Amino acid sequence: VSIQDVAEAAGVSIATVSRVLNNPTLVSPRTATKVRDAINALGYVPNAFAQGLISKSSRVLGVVLPDIHGEFYSELLRGADSEARHQGYSLLVCSRLRSADGSLLPIAALGFVDGLALMITEPDEGLLRLLRTHATPTVVLDAEAEAGAGIDTVIVDNAAGAREATEHLLKHVPADRLCFVGGPRDNFDTKTRAAAFIDAIAASAGAPPDDARVAFGTYSFEWGRQWASDHAASLDRAGVLAGNDEIAYGVVHRAEELGLKAGRDFMLVGFDDTRLASLVRPMLSTVRVPLADVGAAAVSLLVKRIKDRGAPVSHVRLTPRLIVRETTRD
Amino acid sequence: VSIQDVAEAAGVSIATVSRVLNNPTLVSPRTATKVRDAINALGYVPNAFAQGLISKSSRVLGVVLPDIHGEFYSELLRGADSEARHQGYSLLVCSRLRSADGSLLPIAALGFVDGLALMITEPDEGLLRLLRTHATPTVVLDAEAEAGAGIDTVIVDNAAGAREATEHLLKHVPADRLCFVGGPRDNFDTKTRAAAFIDAIAASAGAPPDDARVAFGTYSFEWGRQWASDHAASLDRAGVLAGNDEIAYGVVHRAEELGLKAGRDFMLVGFDDTRLASLVRPMLSTVRVPLADVGAAAVSLLVKRIKDRGAPVSHVRLTPRLIVRETTRD
DNA sequence: GTGAAAGCGCTAACAT
DNA sequence: ATGTTAGCGCTTTCAC
């Protein structure tokens, strides 16, 4: 059922039908009513493809994340979804997992989206080059400005968060007993957090920590457990800054088996403040990253860019903040 | 840059360009090469709207969930995303939150999607009627078959899961000390789980539990805490089946403050087996719902339906299974 | 093997 | 206030 059918049913031209939908003031009330009746009677819905072909717009935004699973991305998506709704857009979501098909961005329907929010967590020069080629409005999440020159970005001030956490730990534990247990070595977030950790220690103790005090692994519970196993001997009276909350809980878990309690026998701060951190006992001191805001900011920036492609490039920086709970006090 | 530009650059007609893209065998190798060179040189990408207008297909699937936040939906989405990728589709995701604008489905871009996976967790006759009107292929998640007559559905056998959990609890705790702490009273999952709980008790004890032993609230940590507060006096030596893992942890949390330990002083089983359940101490005995499979099945069913609109309606039923961890043994 | 031309369903001038 | 018409960019007969 097309606009043609409606026009015939209402005894008007297709232009008139189009008008009552897009510019009702141009149509006499009587005709408008006739047309609307016909529309309802036939259950007519404008063909989105035909509309898109003309307007060159779908009001759909693409969101590409490394993974769409877990509290972290889930929360980010929530913010993006909410903001998109406000702005009258929908979200085409997909993960970059398994898209090692080399070629293009993993969105089959890339052509449909009015803009693209892309999270980049590790160096990927090829991808960035591709982005600059592509005409689609784009905002990059997470990649530090270095990478995103000329592209709108949303970044979290991980350095500030890690610094705050480290300084907090230093109040409880001497500098030479502080460790950083990060995620992947190449991950932007982990890199920045590690660097800020090292700087904060250096500022306090006059010298950076041993290399052995800064470890890298994956953003997983298992890695946290393993690290705790490997450092069982020195965990007592230590201070630990974890790369994220999952790692932190891995440490808690293993430490308990060793008879050590976070917040009493050693101090522990996580990162992200995912739901986990406030549900689990002991409740985790952690650096709250405003994930929903990140998602919302990305969408908001993207919509701005779509509306004005010529606007100056902007970088939104969101600041995390330390939440003190049970693992840094007894 | 359109197909026209490519055609001119390659010195052929637009039909030929279209052919090398869609039916290369019809084109001589030499011409094909010329065309491909032009395509690369110009960075041509076919206009998805124009393609959609003809093919009446976008290879995009709409996924509408009550909420896209949290472990539960996140895991479901992961399965859907993965299956969609396999099948060559993308996912347009949105939550039904805040879409009380009454009117249509909350997807602005409903017209773009080739199919719709819709999760319905509470009775909503209006919505179901709307679905039957709409021609878009649809699969409904979660709503029991009653609701989805004539529509493909994916449902979890909550009754089986709740029965297994209840029978497990009955091994540790007498029937008259068993409670069910559910989610919202109207929620399909909670309703089914409560009913199966009651049946299992009746089968074992010869009589259904008191009404007071079956409580409804929300799927939240806070509700679990509150319930535990309200039942502090009778929690010792009790058995609790929670409506989901969050509720279960709410109970654990409050119980600990009361000096009661799950798995020792009372028995506790959660529902869903979200990540939480295996990370947190004490690790939760819980009914594992194959959420990723639910998402994947929905997509798979949807694609089948798109390919053959006349196929008989099918209902996929997935079976959860009890995972015994620390909260039902000491 | 390739080109010309007819639409797909819609919007937006341009006429009337 | 309403109708006519020219595309939007593409695929697909139908000719040659």
PDB file of all heavy atoms in Angstrom, chain B residues 90-114:
ATOM      1  N   SER B  90      22.149  -6.742  10.456  1.00  0.00           N
ATOM      2  CA  SER B  90      22.535  -5.842  11.542  1.00  0.00           C
ATOM      3  C   SER B  90      21.356  -5.657  12.475  1.00  0.00           C
ATOM      4  O   SER B  90      20.224  -5.953  12.113  1.00  0.00           O
ATOM      5  CB  SER B  90      22.960  -4.488  10.991  1.00  0.00           C
ATOM      6  OG  SER B  90      24.060  -4.631  10.139  1.00  0.00           O
ATOM      7  N   LEU B  91      21.649  -5.119  13.639  1.00  0.00           N
ATOM      8  CA  LEU B  91      20.616  -4.993  14.664  1.00  0.00           C
ATOM      9  C   LEU B  91      20.312  -3.535  15.000  1.00  0.00           C
ATOM     10  O   LEU B  91      21.194  -2.769  15.352  1.00  0.00           O
ATOM     11  CB  LEU B  91      21.111  -5.692  15.938  1.00  0.00           C
ATOM     12  CG  LEU B  91      20.508  -7.030  16.319  1.00  0.00           C
ATOM     13  CD1 LEU B  91      20.180  -7.859  15.095  1.00  0.00           C
ATOM     14  CD2 LEU B  91      21.455  -7.786  17.237  1.00  0.00           C
ATOM     15  N   LEU B  92      19.067  -3.190  14.880  1.00  0.00           N
ATOM     16  CA  LEU B  92      18.602  -1.886  15.340  1.00  0.00           C
ATOM     17  C   LEU B  92      18.002  -2.100  16.717  1.00  0.00           C
ATOM     18  O   LEU B  92      16.957  -2.732  16.852  1.00  0.00           O
ATOM     19  CB  LEU B  92      17.552  -1.354  14.369  1.00  0.00           C
ATOM     20  CG  LEU B  92      17.104   0.076  14.540  1.00  0.00           C
ATOM     21  CD1 LEU B  92      18.251   1.011  14.228  1.00  0.00           C
ATOM     22  CD2 LEU B  92      15.947   0.387  13.621  1.00  0.00           C
ATOM     23  N   VAL B  93      18.670  -1.584  17.724  1.00  0.00           N
ATOM     24  CA  VAL B  93      18.276  -1.917  19.088  1.00  0.00           C
ATOM     25  C   VAL B  93      17.624  -0.734  19.784  1.00  0.00           C
ATOM     26  O   VAL B  93      18.098   0.383  19.660  1.00  0.00           O
ATOM     27  CB  VAL B  93      19.519  -2.319  19.910  1.00  0.00           C
ATOM     28  CG1 VAL B  93      19.139  -2.553  21.349  1.00  0.00           C
ATOM     29  CG2 VAL B  93      20.148  -3.558  19.307  1.00  0.00           C
ATOM     30  N   CYS B  94      16.556  -0.982  20.489  1.00  0.00           N
ATOM     31  CA  CYS B  94      16.078   0.076  21.360  1.00  0.00           C
ATOM     32  C   CYS B  94      15.273  -0.459  22.519  1.00  0.00           C
ATOM     33  O   CYS B  94      14.779  -1.574  22.512  1.00  0.00           O
ATOM     34  CB  CYS B  94      15.306   1.118  20.594  1.00  0.00           C
ATOM     35  SG  CYS B  94      13.684   0.637  20.171  1.00  0.00           S
ATOM     36  N   SER B  95      15.195   0.346  23.541  1.00  0.00           N
ATOM     37  CA  SER B  95      14.470  -0.043  24.732  1.00  0.00           C
ATOM     38  C   SER B  95      13.051   0.499  24.653  1.00  0.00           C
ATOM     39  O   SER B  95      12.769   1.445  23.937  1.00  0.00           O
ATOM     40  CB  SER B  95      15.161   0.508  25.965  1.00  0.00           C
ATOM     41  OG  SER B  95      15.066   1.909  25.978  1.00  0.00           O
ATOM     42  N   ARG B  96      12.177  -0.132  25.392  1.00  0.00           N
ATOM     43  CA  ARG B  96      10.801   0.341  25.398  1.00  0.00           C
ATOM     44  C   ARG B  96      10.559   1.368  26.502  1.00  0.00           C
ATOM     45  O   ARG B  96       9.463   1.901  26.627  1.00  0.00           O
ATOM     46  CB  ARG B  96       9.830  -0.838  25.556  1.00  0.00           C
ATOM     47  CG  ARG B  96       9.555  -1.423  24.218  1.00  0.00           C
ATOM     48  CD  ARG B  96       8.532  -2.478  24.036  1.00  0.00           C
ATOM     49  NE  ARG B  96       7.511  -2.723  25.004  1.00  0.00           N
ATOM     50  CZ  ARG B  96       6.302  -2.174  24.987  1.00  0.00           C
ATOM     51  NH1 ARG B  96       6.004  -1.266  24.097  1.00  0.00           N
ATOM     52  NH2 ARG B  96       5.420  -2.526  25.863  1.00  0.00           N
ATOM     53  N   LEU B  97      11.596   1.625  27.260  1.00  0.00           N
ATOM     54  CA  LEU B  97      11.484   2.645  28.296  1.00  0.00           C
ATOM     55  C   LEU B  97      11.039   3.960  27.682  1.00  0.00           C
ATOM     56  O   LEU B  97      11.426   4.294  26.591  1.00  0.00           O
ATOM     57  CB  LEU B  97      12.852   2.857  28.950  1.00  0.00           C
ATOM     58  CG  LEU B  97      13.437   1.664  29.681  1.00  0.00           C
ATOM     59  CD1 LEU B  97      14.813   2.017  30.194  1.00  0.00           C
ATOM     60  CD2 LEU B  97      12.518   1.271  30.811  1.00  0.00           C
ATOM     61  N   ARG B  98      10.248   4.695  28.406  1.00  0.00           N
ATOM     62  CA  ARG B  98       9.877   6.028  28.007  1.00  0.00           C
ATOM     63  C   ARG B  98       9.112   6.086  26.683  1.00  0.00           C
ATOM     64  O   ARG B  98       8.941   7.140  26.107  1.00  0.00           O
ATOM     65  CB  ARG B  98      11.075   6.968  27.865  1.00  0.00           C
ATOM     66  CG  ARG B  98      12.327   6.589  28.603  1.00  0.00           C
ATOM     67  CD  ARG B  98      13.437   7.604  28.373  1.00  0.00           C
ATOM     68  NE  ARG B  98      12.983   8.831  27.774  1.00  0.00           N
ATOM     69  CZ  ARG B  98      12.602   9.912  28.436  1.00  0.00           C
ATOM     70  NH1 ARG B  98      12.660   9.902  29.723  1.00  0.00           N
ATOM     71  NH2 ARG B  98      12.189  10.993  27.820  1.00  0.00           N
ATOM     72  N   SER B  99       8.711   4.965  26.175  1.00  0.00           N
ATOM     73  CA  SER B  99       7.994   5.022  24.911  1.00  0.00           C
ATOM     74  C   SER B  99       6.503   4.926  25.187  1.00  0.00           C
ATOM     75  O   SER B  99       5.750   4.295  24.476  1.00  0.00           O
ATOM     76  CB  SER B  99       8.423   3.897  23.991  1.00  0.00           C
ATOM     77  OG  SER B  99       8.086   2.669  24.562  1.00  0.00           O
ATOM     78  N   ALA B 100       6.115   5.546  26.252  1.00  0.00           N
ATOM     79  CA  ALA B 100       4.708   5.565  26.611  1.00  0.00           C
ATOM     80  C   ALA B 100       3.981   6.613  25.771  1.00  0.00           C
ATOM     81  O   ALA B 100       2.932   7.101  26.138  1.00  0.00           O
ATOM     82  CB  ALA B 100       4.540   5.852  28.096  1.00  0.00           C
ATOM     83  N   ASP B 101       4.577   6.921  24.619  1.00  0.00           N
ATOM     84  CA  ASP B 101       3.918   7.867  23.732  1.00  0.00           C
ATOM     85  C   ASP B 101       2.721   7.185  23.063  1.00  0.00           C
ATOM     86  O   ASP B 101       2.198   7.623  22.062  1.00  0.00           O
ATOM     87  CB  ASP B 101       4.889   8.392  22.683  1.00  0.00           C
ATOM     88  CG  ASP B 101       5.727   7.270  22.095  1.00  0.00           C
ATOM     89  OD1 ASP B 101       5.980   6.287  22.804  1.00  0.00           O
ATOM     90  OD2 ASP B 101       6.107   7.378  20.927  1.00  0.00           O
ATOM     91  N   GLY B 102       2.367   6.054  23.639  1.00  0.00           N
ATOM     92  CA  GLY B 102       1.149   5.394  23.227  1.00  0.00           C
ATOM     93  C   GLY B 102       1.146   4.834  21.826  1.00  0.00           C
ATOM     94  O   GLY B 102       0.883   3.647  21.634  1.00  0.00           O
ATOM     95  N   SER B 103       1.454   5.639  20.878  1.00  0.00           N
ATOM     96  CA  SER B 103       1.252   5.313  19.469  1.00  0.00           C
ATOM     97  C   SER B 103       1.802   3.964  19.009  1.00  0.00           C
ATOM     98  O   SER B 103       1.295   2.905  19.357  1.00  0.00           O
ATOM     99  CB  SER B 103       1.868   6.405  18.610  1.00  0.00           C
ATOM    100  OG  SER B 103       3.246   6.501  18.919  1.00  0.00           O
ATOM    101  N   LEU B 104       2.830   4.039  18.232  1.00  0.00           N
ATOM    102  CA  LEU B 104       3.331   2.841  17.570  1.00  0.00           C
ATOM    103  C   LEU B 104       4.477   2.224  18.359  1.00  0.00           C
ATOM    104  O   LEU B 104       4.749   2.577  19.486  1.00  0.00           O
ATOM    105  CB  LEU B 104       3.820   3.232  16.167  1.00  0.00           C
ATOM    106  CG  LEU B 104       3.737   2.116  15.139  1.00  0.00           C
ATOM    107  CD1 LEU B 104       2.312   1.912  14.697  1.00  0.00           C
ATOM    108  CD2 LEU B 104       4.612   2.453  13.956  1.00  0.00           C
ATOM    109  N   LEU B 105       5.109   1.272  17.732  1.00  0.00           N
ATOM    110  CA  LEU B 105       6.323   0.729  18.312  1.00  0.00           C
ATOM    111  C   LEU B 105       7.360   1.827  18.404  1.00  0.00           C
ATOM    112  O   LEU B 105       7.376   2.735  17.599  1.00  0.00           O
ATOM    113  CB  LEU B 105       6.837  -0.406  17.417  1.00  0.00           C
ATOM    114  CG  LEU B 105       5.960  -1.637  17.428  1.00  0.00           C
ATOM    115  CD1 LEU B 105       6.442  -2.621  16.395  1.00  0.00           C
ATOM    116  CD2 LEU B 105       5.993  -2.257  18.802  1.00  0.00           C
ATOM    117  N   PRO B 106       8.209   1.737  19.379  1.00  0.00           N
ATOM    118  CA  PRO B 106       9.108   2.846  19.657  1.00  0.00           C
ATOM    119  C   PRO B 106      10.266   2.971  18.674  1.00  0.00           C
ATOM    120  O   PRO B 106      11.166   3.742  18.882  1.00  0.00           O
ATOM    121  CB  PRO B 106       9.632   2.512  21.050  1.00  0.00           C
ATOM    122  CG  PRO B 106       9.546   1.036  21.113  1.00  0.00           C
ATOM    123  CD  PRO B 106       8.386   0.627  20.284  1.00  0.00           C
ATOM    124  N   ILE B 107      10.224   2.206  17.619  1.00  0.00           N
ATOM    125  CA  ILE B 107      11.294   2.347  16.642  1.00  0.00           C
ATOM    126  C   ILE B 107      10.907   3.402  15.624  1.00  0.00           C
ATOM    127  O   ILE B 107      10.012   3.215  14.817  1.00  0.00           O
ATOM    128  CB  ILE B 107      11.564   1.023  15.909  1.00  0.00           C
ATOM    129  CG1 ILE B 107      12.221   0.035  16.857  1.00  0.00           C
ATOM    130  CG2 ILE B 107      12.421   1.255  14.704  1.00  0.00           C
ATOM    131  CD1 ILE B 107      12.797  -1.153  16.143  1.00  0.00           C
ATOM    132  N   ALA B 108      11.634   4.509  15.677  1.00  0.00           N
ATOM    133  CA  ALA B 108      11.375   5.559  14.698  1.00  0.00           C
ATOM    134  C   ALA B 108      11.562   4.972  13.313  1.00  0.00           C
ATOM    135  O   ALA B 108      10.803   5.231  12.381  1.00  0.00           O
ATOM    136  CB  ALA B 108      12.333   6.717  14.923  1.00  0.00           C
ATOM    137  N   ALA B 109      12.571   4.149  13.205  1.00  0.00           N
ATOM    138  CA  ALA B 109      12.953   3.637  11.906  1.00  0.00           C
ATOM    139  C   ALA B 109      12.300   2.295  11.610  1.00  0.00           C
ATOM    140  O   ALA B 109      12.853   1.474  10.909  1.00  0.00           O
ATOM    141  CB  ALA B 109      14.462   3.510  11.843  1.00  0.00           C
ATOM    142  N   LEU B 110      11.127   2.099  12.151  1.00  0.00           N
ATOM    143  CA  LEU B 110      10.457   0.820  11.965  1.00  0.00           C
ATOM    144  C   LEU B 110      10.379   0.441  10.485  1.00  0.00           C
ATOM    145  O   LEU B 110      10.496  -0.722  10.132  1.00  0.00           O
ATOM    146  CB  LEU B 110       9.042   0.890  12.550  1.00  0.00           C
ATOM    147  CG  LEU B 110       8.235  -0.393  12.465  1.00  0.00           C
ATOM    148  CD1 LEU B 110       8.975  -1.524  13.148  1.00  0.00           C
ATOM    149  CD2 LEU B 110       6.876  -0.213  13.089  1.00  0.00           C
ATOM    150  N   GLY B 111      10.210   1.423   9.675  1.00  0.00           N
ATOM    151  CA  GLY B 111      10.084   1.164   8.243  1.00  0.00           C
ATOM    152  C   GLY B 111      11.328   0.579   7.618  1.00  0.00           C
ATOM    153  O   GLY B 111      11.277  -0.014   6.553  1.00  0.00           O
ATOM    154  N   PHE B 112      12.451   0.723   8.292  1.00  0.00           N
ATOM    155  CA  PHE B 112      13.693   0.240   7.717  1.00  0.00           C
ATOM    156  C   PHE B 112      13.939  -1.232   7.956  1.00  0.00           C
ATOM    157  O   PHE B 112      14.691  -1.859   7.239  1.00  0.00           O
ATOM    158  CB  PHE B 112      14.884   1.005   8.291  1.00  0.00           C
ATOM    159  CG  PHE B 112      15.064   2.342   7.674  1.00  0.00           C
ATOM    160  CD1 PHE B 112      14.874   3.475   8.406  1.00  0.00           C
ATOM    161  CD2 PHE B 112      15.419   2.452   6.340  1.00  0.00           C
ATOM    162  CE1 PHE B 112      15.034   4.722   7.835  1.00  0.00           C
ATOM    163  CE2 PHE B 112      15.574   3.690   5.762  1.00  0.00           C
ATOM    164  CZ  PHE B 112      15.379   4.828   6.507  1.00  0.00           C
ATOM    165  N   VAL B 113      13.365  -1.747   9.025  1.00  0.00           N
ATOM    166  CA  VAL B 113      13.768  -3.086   9.421  1.00  0.00           C
ATOM    167  C   VAL B 113      13.032  -4.177   8.635  1.00  0.00           C
ATOM    168  O   VAL B 113      11.874  -4.026   8.281  1.00  0.00           O
ATOM    169  CB  VAL B 113      13.560  -3.312  10.934  1.00  0.00           C
ATOM    170  CG1 VAL B 113      14.323  -2.267  11.718  1.00  0.00           C
ATOM    171  CG2 VAL B 113      12.095  -3.297  11.292  1.00  0.00           C
ATOM    172  N   ASP B 114      13.743  -5.239   8.374  1.00  0.00           N
ATOM    173  CA  ASP B 114      13.162  -6.374   7.665  1.00  0.00           C
ATOM    174  C   ASP B 114      12.342  -7.243   8.604  1.00  0.00           C
ATOM    175  O   ASP B 114      11.545  -8.060   8.165  1.00  0.00           O
ATOM    176  CB  ASP B 114      14.269  -7.229   7.043  1.00  0.00           C
ATOM    177  CG  ASP B 114      14.938  -6.520   5.878  1.00  0.00           C
ATOM    178  OD1 ASP B 114      14.440  -5.454   5.472  1.00  0.00           O
ATOM    179  OD2 ASP B 114      15.957  -7.033   5.385  1.00  0.00           O
TER     180      ASP B 114
END
